Amino acid sequence: MTTLNDTFRSLLDSLNPGQHRAVEHIEGPVLVIAGPGTGKTHILAARVGKILLETDARPQNILCLTFTDAGVNAMRTRLLDMIGPDAYRVSISTFHGFCNRVIQENMEYFGHGTLEPVSDLERIEIVRRLLADLPPEHPLREGRKNAFAYENHLRDLFATMKKEDWTPGLVLKTADDFVRGLPENPYFIYQRNTATARKGDPKIEIIANTTERMERLRAAADLYPKYIHAMEHTGRYEYEDMILWVLRAFKKHEALLRTYQERYLYVQVDEFQDTNGAQYHLLRLLLEFWDTPNAFIVGDDDQSIYEFQGARLGNLLDFHNRYRAALQTVVLSENYRSTQGILDTAALVIEKNTLRAVSQLDEPLEKNLRAATEETGTLHVRSYQNRLCELADVAGQIADLVRAGT
C-alpha cells in the first residue's frame, strides 16, 4: 500500500486542475466531458487508485466499462503501472465482455451453452427465408418481382432493434405517432407559394410516400419475433444478443441483479458517447439500486464515432438529467495531442454543430480546447475527390516518411 500511496501521490502531482477536480470526486455521480487528447485514461486510472487508497472498497468492487478492447487494454496497462497485480482484480471490460462474464457465472439463468455465433451467410439465409415466405400482398413484397428487395433494410432494422433494445410494439407506436404528426410537421407543409400550391398547404405526394414507407417499417418490425425464433431454431446468436439476455435476466431475476448491484460499489464508463440504447439500459439497471450512485461517466459529445451503431447524445443528456441533483460536472479542456492551430481550426467547424452537450445542458459550460504544448506549425487542409484517393495519398506520405528515416 505504501508503494501505491507513493505512486498515486506522484500521479496526482501530474494532473492538471481539471483532471484533479475530476479525480477528487469519488462519491456520487460525476459526468466528465472530455475533449480529445485530454487524458481520459489517465484520470480513470487515477480515480481507481484514489478509491482503493481512501475507501474500504476492494479492487473487485470497481467496474470499469469501455467500448473497445483497445480501451480495455489501455486501462489495464495504466493500472498495472500504478497499483501492480491488483489491477487484474479490477473488473475492466467492454459491455459485451461484462455480459459474457455474467452469463458464464450464472449459466443456470441462461442455458445458452449450445448456441453458436451466427455467420454472415447464415444471417442472410435467415432473412431471405423470412422474405420468401411472405404472401404477394405483403408491404415488403407487393408489386415487386424481386422478393429480396428489402433484404438489407430488414437486416439493418433488426440490428438496430437489438442495439437499442426496441420492441416491435415500440417501433409500431413510434411510426404511428410520426404519421399522425405529418400534417403539422413543417417539413411536409409548403413554406411559400408555388405554381401549384399555396403557403400552408400539405405536401400531399410526399406525405403519401412517407406514409407508405412507415407502413413498410411497421410490416418489417412485425417480422422481428420470427427472426428471433428462426435464429434460436438454428442454434445461433448474434453479438448484440448477450446484452439483451442479461437485460432480460436482470429484469426477471431480482436476486441476480442485486448480486451485481451490490458487488460493484463504483462504476466507471469510458467513451460514454458511444453507448447505444441497450448498453445504457444495462448501466441504468446496475445503478438504480442507489439513490446517488458512485458512477463516473467520461464522454465527449463531439466524438460520437459510433453513431452508426446506435450511439446517441441523448444518453449523455439523460444521465445528466437523471442525477442532476447530486451530479458533479467537469469539463477537461487541456489537450496533450495537438497544436493550438489544429484545435482552433477544428473548433471553427464543430461550433456549427447544435447537438452538443455543452450547449444543451442547463448549466453554464464551455469547452475550448487549449494545447498543453507551445509547439506551433502550419496547418495544411487537403481535399480529395473520394475516400480512396485520400487513403492512397496518406499511404504515400507515410511511405515517403519511412524512406526518409522518420
Side-chain angles (χ1 to χ4, degrees), residues 17-307:
Q19 292 173 331
H20 196 279
R21 182 175 166 226
V23 171
E24 282 297 307
H25 295 295
I26 60 173
E27 302 297 330
V30 180
L31 172 61
V32 179
I33 299 177
T38 53
K40 294 188 289 290
T41 303
H42 199 52
I43 63 169
L44 287 160
R47 192 167 180 274
V48 170
K50 187 174 179 66
I51 291 170
L52 294 177
L53 274 176
E54 300 186 4
T55 74
D56 294 331
R58 301 162 67 189
Q60 53 265 40
N61 296 136
I62 303 172
L63 173 63
C64 298
L65 294 170
T66 187
F67 204 71
T68 64
D69 290 330
V72 171
N73 294 333
M75 174 70 68
R76 186 80 67 188
T77 300
R78 192 68 61 92
L79 276 178
L80 276 170
D81 292 340
M82 189 178 72
I83 67 176
D86 270 349
Y88 289 109
R89 298 168 63 198
V90 177
S91 295
I92 308 173
S93 65
T94 63
F95 281 88
H96 291 92
F98 169 75
C99 288
N100 184 55
R101 187 187 316 134
V102 172
I103 293 170
Q104 296 303 319
E105 291 176 351
N106 306 275
M107 287 300 294
E108 66 274 17
Y109 289 105
F110 297 94
H112 295 293
T114 59
L115 296 183
E116 297 180 4
V118 67
S119 68
D120 290 339
L121 180 58
E122 289 171 328
R123 185 184 292 108
I124 291 172
E125 290 175 343
I126 290 174
V127 171
R128 287 197 166 192
R129 281 200 300 269
L130 289 177
L131 290 170
D133 291 340
L134 295 177
E137 67 275 10
H138 192 277
L140 298 182
R141 287 287 304 274
E142 188 176 9
R144 294 174 181 84
K145 294 182 180 179
N146 180 9
F148 310 127
Y150 291 106
E151 174 188 341
N152 293 336
H153 299 78
L154 206 57
R155 291 207 310 267
D156 290 344
L157 174 64
F158 293 160
T160 300
M161 290 178 71
K162 287 190 175 186
K163 290 169 185 173
E164 296 297 336
D165 193 22
W166 290 346
T167 63
L170 176 63
V171 175
L172 265 58
K173 181 181 183 302
T174 303
D176 288 344
D177 292 344
F178 181 73
V179 171
R180 279 195 297 269
L182 290 181
E184 289 79 38
N185 190 322
Y187 180 77
F188 296 91
I189 300 173
Y190 286 102
Q191 301 300 311
R192 58 174 61 90
N193 294 332
T194 70
T196 57
R198 308 297 295 174
K199 180 179 179 181
D201 288 347
K203 299 179 180 179
I204 297 176
E205 292 184 359
I206 297 180
I207 289 177
N209 180 264
T210 302
T211 301
E212 183 180 342
R213 290 173 55 198
M214 290 299 102
E215 184 60 30
R216 288 198 296 268
L217 174 61
R218 289 169 50 87
D222 277 336
L223 294 176
Y224 183 67
K226 294 183 178 180
Y227 177 72
I228 299 299
H229 176 74
M231 192 74 69
E232 294 173 349
H233 182 71
T234 55
R236 297 294 183 266
Y237 72 92
E238 294 178 291
Y239 199 50
E240 295 79 15
D241 284 322
M242 288 189 291
I243 292 181
L244 298 181
W245 291 341
V246 172
L247 282 174
R248 295 191 190 104
F250 278 172
K251 294 174 185 177
K252 184 177 181 180
H253 306 286
E254 185 175 348
L256 176 65
L257 175 58
R258 289 287 182 267
T259 297
Y260 291 92
Q261 288 176 327
E262 296 180 9
R263 176 186 300 180
Y264 297 118
L265 306 179
Y266 295 88
V267 178
Q268 301 191 158
V269 184
D270 191 15
E271 306 293 357
F272 185 70
Q273 76 280 350
D274 289 330
T275 55
N276 58 38
Q279 292 165 336
Y280 183 50
H281 193 181
L282 177 68
L283 176 65
R284 282 176 50 187
L285 286 177
L286 291 173
L287 299 181
E288 69 178 9
F289 183 68
W290 313 95
D291 289 334
T292 54
N294 297 322
F296 189 74
I297 304 300
V298 181
D300 183 11
D301 50 324
D302 294 332
Q303 291 191 80
S304 191
I305 61 174
Y306 288 98
E307 172 71 17

Side-chain angles (χ1 to χ4, degrees), residues 326-341:
L327 186 68
Q328 295 286 340
T329 304
V330 180
V331 179
L332 299 185
S333 55
E334 192 163 348
N335 179 281
Y336 296 89
R337 185 182 300 164
S338 303
T339 62
Q340 194 62 49

